[in-house]
Amino acid sequence: MQNRLARADVPVEQTWNLDDLFASPALWEAEVLALESACDDLQPYRGRLGDGAGTLQACLDAMEMLQQRLMRAVTFAHLRNAQDGTDPQHQAALARALALGSRLDAGIAFVDAEILALPAGTVERFLAQPGSNLAGHRVYLQDLLDTRPHRLGADTEQALAALGEVLDAPWMIYHRAKASDLQFPPFTDAQGNTLANSVNLYEWTYETHPDPQLRRAAWQSFSAGLQGHQHTWAATLATEIHKNVVLARLRKHPTTEAYLLQTHKVPPSLYTHVLQTLQAEVAPHMRRYARLRRRVLGLDKLLYCDIKAPLDPDYEARITYPDACRLILDSLACMGPDYVQLVRNMLDRPWVDRADNIGKSSGAFCASPYGVHPYVLMTWADSMRNVFVLTHELGHGAHFSLAMQHQGYFNRRPAMPFVEAPSTMHEMLLARHILARGGDPRMRRSVIMQVLGTYHHNFVTHLLEAELQHRLYAQAEAGQAVTAQGLNQCKGQILAGFWGDTLEIDDGARLTWMRQPHYYMGLYPYTYSVGLVAATAMAGQVAVEGTPAVQRWLQVLKAGGTRKPLALLQMAGIDLSTPAPILAAVAHVGALVDELERAFPA
């Protein structure tokens, strides 16, 4: 039976080095102790924020610096826990960092309260004063003023800030259980070998394995592991949902979705349009792809665990990590030498953690602590899919590196609907680069399948997560309980509605609401679709225009969060206020399926 390595046993060259955050846990400990009393530095400004633009700026500058330090401390604890969530010291450190964040938020809650209590027009007058440097905080101030109709009393806001650790508990419980408690029974392959299973092994290796017997056995093992936690995780998710419902009502938003969309800075119509249009338009193409997969692979029926099986199971495009790095850098040459060097730095230095070990966080992410540099986590398995995931996370890293170079802490991060566009743009550039090289037709087919995997991930997996959220919040607002049985039933109905009769929805498929952490991150899932629509359009512009399109895109990345998402995309030449970009992306999916159908004639 295969044995997964403990963190201490993995090769160090496959891990990241967190010394640029803190050179040792002892130094982190010292900073945490210093931060415990640091919010006292803001107390001299209490009651004085209306004195003038200079006083307000000084207070916001001090608060910005405090939050930068907090971000670095929390990131260090988060990354250590992500690399091994079974370590009790890592668990304790992360809990301590999050608790510290809640205390600091409570300690500085008076700042927002006092600004909002200023007479109407005061902030605008301060911003307009000649010689004022307050403009660097314009976005923060405007965002704050936009919340005025939904703010509660100062004491209530301070109490909610103090309860931050409690309000974030569902996220913590989900991740803690997934990293430390979730176990899967071993299973047997066709040769009689007993194989271990885990979230990372299943998602990075078994889910796309060409052997249907192994793939389906791994799926049974994976589903059995999830099933054992469904009631606890349903209660955890129910808590998250009801928390947001209560907060939305307290803040007098018409719906919970309206409350959660406030920070997205896009019209609610974009959310509903993406949700409705993509499900209706993408489903026919994905059903065609599913029928093609069943026919080509000669499967008796198509199960949920078969929808990522390779169409050409005898062709395995294996690629080592060094070769993948070179391929990614070559694909980004169109972005210019400075951009390529930015990405090269992320790959050449110990900033990517690609090892597989017990307790490691599943999936992939990029953390970009302000004033340091990005860190990428994933699990490497020598697959072409790994290359696309790696370049995706590097896209996040490059984006936030440029934003941090050109914007202050408050202005560095755009609203959520734009966040996935730069990362998905990397995937589109990689695909275009590989396909433009020509060569082996089987390689071309393999790459098209990888690209369709990206569209499946964003236009299907994440979009159907968003549909589940949409239904769950409506049910909760109507007073219906959120239970494991209800979640399984609702997820099954959504999958059946999308896939029709092309896919058999088994009990494991109904449990897939348990796989993703996005339900604990507001309305994050639909934004993947927005990012992919934008990336599809932008990659097309770069292919047609070349340097002018690249320069527009770089300016957008450098702008950080200084503009709203639709305005950022308009800077790049993409108008998401119309359905045209969405329909163009769907048409591209259809064209890719068309090509695969021609490549595998009946």
Side-chain angles (χ1 to χ4, degrees):
M1 179 174 170
Q2 292 177 329
N3 290 315
R4 297 179 69 215
L5 296 176
R7 180 68 181 187
D9 297 327
V10 300
V12 67
E13 64 271 15
Q14 296 181 18
T15 65
W16 52 28
N17 186 317
L18 303 180
D19 286 357
D20 291 340
L21 283 165
F22 293 94
S24 69
L27 290 175
W28 175 82
E29 173 76 22
E31 174 66 346
V32 168
L33 291 175
L35 283 167
E36 293 280 2
S37 58
C39 64
D40 291 342
D41 297 343
L42 270 66
Q43 296 310 304
Y45 300 104
R46 186 185 287 270
R48 298 181 50 229
L49 298 188
D51 289 357
T55 301
L56 180 57
Q57 180 194 332
C59 178
L60 293 181
D61 286 347
M63 187 171 73
E64 185 176 48
M65 182 57 65
L66 178 62
Q67 292 189 347
Q68 284 183 42
R69 293 172 59 192
L70 176 65
M71 182 184 193
R72 187 178 294 199
V74 171
T75 299
F76 183 76
H78 166 62
L79 296 186
R80 292 180 76 213
N81 191 71
Q83 72 189 30
D84 183 5
T86 65
D87 189 316
Q89 293 183 345
H90 295 172
Q91 295 174 4
L94 179 58
R96 183 177 175 191
L98 295 176
L100 170 64
S102 296
R103 290 195 294 275
L104 290 181
D105 285 345
I108 63 178
F110 78 90
V111 176
D112 286 357
E114 284 194 23
I115 293 172
L116 290 172
L118 294 174
T122 301
V123 171
E124 292 83 353
R125 178 167 53 82
F126 286 171
L127 286 167
Q129 284 183 4
S132 170
N133 293 319
L134 191 59
H137 300 301
R138 182 184 299 275
V139 173
Y140 172 83
L141 290 168
Q142 186 57 58
D143 288 348
L144 178 60
L145 293 176
D146 288 344
T147 70
R148 180 173 274 160
H150 303 287
R151 295 287 291 190
L152 304 173
D155 290 345
T156 305
E157 292 290 351
Q158 185 172 4
L160 288 174
L163 286 170
E165 184 182 5
V166 176
L167 297 176
D168 290 338
W171 180 91
M172 169 69 82
I173 293 168
Y174 173 82
H175 282 274
R176 182 72 55 80
K178 194 173 184 181
S180 304
D181 297 335
L182 186 58
Q183 300 291 326
F184 303 93
F187 64 97
T188 305
D189 65 11
Q191 290 73 43
N193 300 310
T194 300
L195 303 178
N197 205 355
S198 69
V199 175
N200 283 328
L201 278 172
Y202 181 76
E203 294 185 347
W204 295 101
T205 302
Y206 302 143
E207 190 171 29
T208 56
H209 200 281
D211 181 351
Q213 182 174 332
L214 184 149
R215 189 173 61 247
R216 291 179 175 185
W219 172 245
Q220 292 300 317
S221 162
F222 186 76
S223 299
L226 292 178
Q227 187 176 34
H229 293 266
Q230 61 178 315
H231 297 291
T232 301
W233 286 7
T236 305
L237 181 53
T239 303
E240 174 70 14
I241 291 168
H242 288 297
K243 172 194 78 176
N244 289 325
V245 170
V246 169
L247 289 173
R249 288 172 176 167
L250 284 174
R251 296 191 181 282
K252 296 181 171 55
H253 286 274
T255 65
T256 309
E257 288 178 329
Y259 160 64
L260 294 173
L261 284 170
Q262 184 178 38
T263 58
H264 288 210
K265 304 182 185 180
V266 294
S269 58
L270 176 67
Y271 167 70
T272 56
H273 186 60
V274 166
L275 211 57
Q276 295 169 2
T277 302
L278 282 177
Q279 287 188 81
E281 299 293 334
V282 173
H285 297 307
M286 287 300 176
R287 290 177 187 178
R288 280 198 296 134
Y289 191 23
R291 287 191 289 267
L292 176 67
R293 176 171 275 111
R294 180 179 176 183
R295 173 176 64 79
V296 171
L297 297 180
L299 297 173
D300 55 338
K301 56 185 176 181
L302 200 67
L303 301 178
Y304 188 85
C305 61
D306 296 322
I307 57 176
K308 295 185 180 180
L311 279 174
D312 190 356
D314 295 328
Y315 180 79
E316 192 172 22
R318 310 302 290 174
I319 183 167
T320 65
Y321 183 76
D323 287 343
C325 294
R326 286 188 287 270
L327 180 60
I328 289 170
L329 293 173
D330 289 345
S331 74
L332 297 174
C334 62
M335 297 295 293
D338 291 343
Y339 190 91
V340 171
Q341 187 57 49
L342 185 67
V343 176
R344 189 189 306 277
N345 288 341
M346 287 187 267
L347 292 169
D348 287 348
R349 298 172 186 177
W351 301 349
V352 178
D353 194 294
R354 64 184 193 275
D356 182 24
N357 58 262
I358 297 169
K360 183 172 179 177
S361 178
S362 64
F365 66 77
C366 176
S368 299
Y370 192 86
V372 189
H373 55 72
Y375 284 100
V376 170
L377 177 140
M378 66 175 299
T379 302
W380 190 261
D382 285 345
S383 72
M384 186 59 72
R385 187 65 204 154
N386 285 166
V387 188
F388 279 81
V389 172
L390 176 58
T391 198
H392 178 102
E393 300 305 336
L394 293 170
H396 281 307
H399 173 205
F400 287 114
S401 292
L402 289 171
M404 287 190 291
Q405 289 173 17
H406 294 86
Q407 305 296 335
Y409 176 83
F410 285 147
N411 292 347
R412 77 199 186 284
R413 188 177 181 88
M416 200 175 283
F418 182 81
V419 166
E420 293 298 332
S423 52
T424 314
M425 172 69 165
H426 266 217
E427 293 189 63
M428 298 298 101
L429 293 178
L430 175 62
R432 287 177 178 270
H433 172 72
I434 298 174
L435 294 176
R437 297 190 307 180
D440 185 356
R442 299 181 82 182
M443 170 62 85
R444 180 178 180 84
R445 292 188 320 208
S446 174
V447 172
I448 290 173
M449 284 184 273
Q450 295 304 326
V451 177
L452 280 171
T454 295
Y455 282 101
H456 181 279
H457 197 59
N458 292 12
F459 281 179
V460 182
T461 301
H462 290 318
L463 193 71
L464 297 188
E465 290 175 10
E467 176 63 25
L468 179 61
Q469 284 187 305
H470 178 63
R471 297 188 188 190
L472 291 176
Y473 279 114
Q475 291 171 10
E477 288 172 341
Q480 298 179 31
V482 176
T483 65
Q485 182 181 14
L487 283 164
N488 295 341
Q489 182 179 21
C490 190
K491 184 66 177 180
Q493 291 171 347
I494 291 170
L495 290 172
F498 183 88
W499 291 105
D501 61 0
T502 62
L503 196 67
E504 181 174 301
I505 307 301
D506 59 11
D507 288 340
R510 297 183 184 94
L511 289 168
T512 51
W513 59 268
M514 299 177 66
R515 291 180 63 173
Q516 297 286 358
H518 301 123
Y519 303 110
Y520 304 92
M521 301 165 68
L523 296 181
Y524 197 4
Y526 89 97
T527 66
Y528 282 91
S529 298
V530 176
L532 183 50
V533 168
T536 303
M538 197 66 232
Q541 290 184 21
V542 170
V544 173
E545 300 178 42
T547 300
V550 169
Q551 291 304 314
R552 289 199 304 272
W553 188 241
L554 290 175
Q555 290 306 308
V556 170
L557 300 183
K558 294 173 184 176
T562 55
R563 299 193 185 191
K564 296 179 180 180
L566 295 189
L568 287 171
L569 292 174
Q570 287 170 348
M571 282 177 63
I574 303 166
D575 187 2
L576 260 182
S577 66
T578 74
I582 297 177
L583 297 177
V586 172
H588 185 57
V589 173
L592 293 173
V593 176
D594 289 343
E595 181 167 349
L596 284 184
E597 287 180 330
R598 292 192 298 269
F600 294 97

